[in-house]
């Protein structure tokens, strides 16, 4: 598959793909909204380069030098490019070329999780900067909404958020580690099938190892404690494992829609409903969790048994 791919699109400067990905990643500085969307495609670009027939030691060296230059001018951009883009791409690549189980979707978010926790604990000025940024965004959004003609009952919600903006900002800071992990793992999950297709490998459903259910349950019970630190650990672990089980449930939903030959339009409608309704997000995550016991994908219908 990869041979035909490169023959067909041989005009693309494959040796520069990591540099192109790095340049696109810098859009997070100028427009975070656009950068957020573009970042979803950057691991795909990196995987394309890693599997390229034109890749060699020289091209690797050139791109490493480019990354070093970027780190000189903007250490934060280069550092987070490595954590959010390069690490998922490398894990997916080596998972597809080795027989070892690297669990790239699960492990790719660990480095950024660790870095975020250390930064929040060791850098009080970083916490204050995040706090001020969240409060300013809440004030700006509240002011913009209040200028519009909105129903009276919705103004109550806006007033509540505005009056509790400091608590909301503090909660957002505490949840930053799990949100960083979930975002990076999502990038790996989106790119996973693409990485395996390059190697003509069978694409298996994403599964959370059974052993991870134990820390998930322990983290959930920690919410009953009175200690703030343990509560924050509980919130973060709950979000992290809920994200992983959501991926598992989403893979199952796609599996059954393919199994029953659901029309593409209806599939799109199902995805819109899932991502637009918080209840559906929870339902899909529970679907993935219970799959560890019931193995829904292995169930066979009566017509399949014949």
């Amino acid at each position: 598959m990869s041979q035909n791919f490169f023959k067909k699109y041989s005009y693309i400067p494959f040796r520069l793909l990591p540099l192109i990905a790095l340049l696109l990643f810098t859009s997070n500085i100028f427009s975070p909204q656009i950068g957020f969307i573009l970042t979803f495609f950057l691991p795909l670009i990196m995987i394309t380069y890693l599997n390229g027939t034109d890749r060699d030691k020289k091209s690797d060296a050139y791109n490493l030098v480019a990354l070093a230059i970027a780190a000189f001018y903007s250490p934060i951009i280069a550092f987070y490019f490595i954590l959010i883009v390069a690490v998922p791409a490398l894990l997916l690549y080596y998972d597809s070329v080795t027989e070892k189980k690297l669990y790239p979707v699960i492990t790719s978010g660990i480095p950024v999780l660790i870095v975020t926790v250390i930064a929040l604990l060791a850098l009080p000025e970083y916490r204050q900067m995040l706090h001020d940024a969240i409060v300013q965004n809440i004030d700006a959004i509240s002011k913009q909404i209040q200028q519009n003609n909105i129903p009276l009952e919705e103004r109550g919600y806006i007033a509540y958020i505005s009056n509790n903006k400091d608590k909301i900002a503090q909660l957002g800071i505490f949840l930053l580690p799990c949100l960083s992990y979930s975002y990076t793992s999502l990038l790996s999950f989106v790119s996973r099938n693409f990485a395996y297709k390059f190697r003509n490998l069978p694409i298996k459903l994403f599964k959370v190892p059974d052993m991870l259910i134990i820390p998930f349950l322990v983290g959930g019970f920690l919410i009953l404690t009175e200690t703030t630190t343990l509560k924050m650990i509980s919130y973060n672990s709950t979000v992290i494992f809920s994200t992983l089980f959501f991926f598992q449930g989403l893979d199952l939903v796609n599996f059954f829609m393919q199994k029953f030959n659901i029309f593409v339009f209806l599939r799109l409608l199902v995805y819109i409903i899932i991502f637009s309704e918080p209840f559906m997000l929870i339902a899909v995550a529970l679907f993935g969790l219970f799959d560890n016991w019931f193995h829904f994908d292995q169930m066979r219908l009566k017509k399949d048994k014949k």
Side-chain angles (χ1 to χ4, degrees):
M1 180 263 188
S2 57
Q3 296 287 342
N4 295 331
F5 181 91
F6 286 107
K7 287 180 180 178
K8 186 176 181 181
Y9 301 101
S10 58
Y11 57 88
I12 300 177
F14 287 103
R15 295 189 177 191
L16 299 179
L17 285 180
L19 177 59
I20 293 172
L22 179 59
L23 293 174
L24 292 174
F25 188 73
T26 59
S27 62
N28 286 280
I29 299 177
F30 310 105
S31 178
Q33 295 85 357
I34 296 176
F36 179 84
I37 297 173
L38 286 178
T39 303
F40 275 92
F41 303 96
L42 301 187
L44 301 179
I45 296 176
M46 290 293 295
I47 292 169
T48 302
Y49 168 76
L50 292 171
N51 285 280
T53 55
D54 290 342
R55 178 194 170 205
D56 53 26
K57 291 182 179 180
K58 280 188 177 181
S59 63
D60 289 346
Y62 293 152
N63 286 293
L64 287 174
V65 169
L67 182 61
I69 294 173
F72 177 78
Y73 287 101
S74 182
I76 294 178
I77 285 294
F79 187 57
Y80 275 96
F81 175 79
I82 294 172
L83 291 178
I84 297 176
V85 177
V87 168
L90 287 169
L91 284 172
L92 286 166
Y93 171 71
Y94 285 110
D95 184 64
S96 64
V97 300
T98 64
E99 296 181 356
K100 298 179 180 179
K101 291 184 177 180
L102 300 178
Y103 299 106
V105 176
I106 298 174
T107 56
S108 62
I110 294 177
V112 71
L113 171 69
I114 295 173
V115 169
T116 305
V117 171
I118 293 174
L120 291 176
L121 294 176
L123 302 173
E125 63 274 12
Y126 179 59
R127 294 198 303 270
Q128 187 61 44
M129 180 186 71
L130 290 174
H131 181 277
D132 294 342
I134 295 173
V135 169
Q136 289 175 5
N137 284 329
I138 291 176
D139 287 338
I141 294 173
S142 298
K143 185 180 294 185
Q144 183 177 3
I145 294 177
Q146 288 174 355
Q147 291 175 352
N148 300 326
N149 294 325
I150 59 173
L152 185 62
E153 60 272 12
E154 292 188 14
R155 295 183 182 180
Y157 295 121
I158 298 170
Y160 176 81
I161 293 174
S162 182
N163 293 333
N164 294 273
K165 57 188 176 184
D166 288 324
K167 291 182 179 179
I168 295 173
Q170 186 178 13
L171 180 61
I173 292 171
F174 281 135
L175 293 179
L176 187 59
C178 67
L179 296 177
S180 300
Y181 173 93
S182 299
Y183 178 58
T184 308
S185 296
L186 176 60
L187 297 181
S188 295
F189 180 75
V190 171
S191 306
R192 184 173 58 103
N193 291 357
F194 184 79
Y196 295 152
K197 284 182 179 179
F198 257 112
R199 293 283 170 177
N200 292 321
L201 296 175
I203 300 172
K204 298 181 180 179
L205 293 178
F206 172 71
K207 294 284 186 180
V208 178
D210 292 340
M211 66 179 69
L212 293 183
I213 294 178
I214 297 176
F216 168 63
L217 295 176
V218 172
F221 280 114
L222 287 177
I223 200 172
L224 301 176
T225 62
E226 298 297 329
T227 308
T228 302
T229 302
L230 294 179
K231 280 185 176 294
M232 291 305 104
I233 293 175
S234 176
Y235 293 153
N236 278 273
S237 63
T238 300
V239 171
I240 287 172
F241 288 110
S242 297
T243 300
L244 295 177
F245 287 122
F246 173 76
F247 294 159
Q248 183 167 327
L250 195 63
D251 243 11
L252 282 170
V253 170
N254 184 58
F255 167 78
F256 282 111
M257 286 195 295
Q258 290 181 348
K259 184 179 180 66
F260 294 108
N261 296 319
I262 303 299
F263 292 117
V264 175
F265 174 77
L266 292 178
R267 293 185 193 181
L268 180 61
L269 182 61
V270 169
Y271 288 131
I272 292 174
I273 294 174
I274 289 175
F275 285 99
S276 62
E277 295 292 336
F279 172 76
M280 290 301 298
L281 295 175
I282 297 173
V284 172
L286 289 174
F287 188 36
L289 172 62
F290 289 125
D291 179 59
N292 283 73
W293 290 286
F294 297 105
H295 304 289
F296 296 118
D297 59 307
Q298 296 180 9
M299 292 183 177
R300 300 178 63 189
L301 301 177
K302 289 183 179 180
K303 63 178 181 179
D304 298 328
K305 295 180 181 179
K306 296 180 180 178

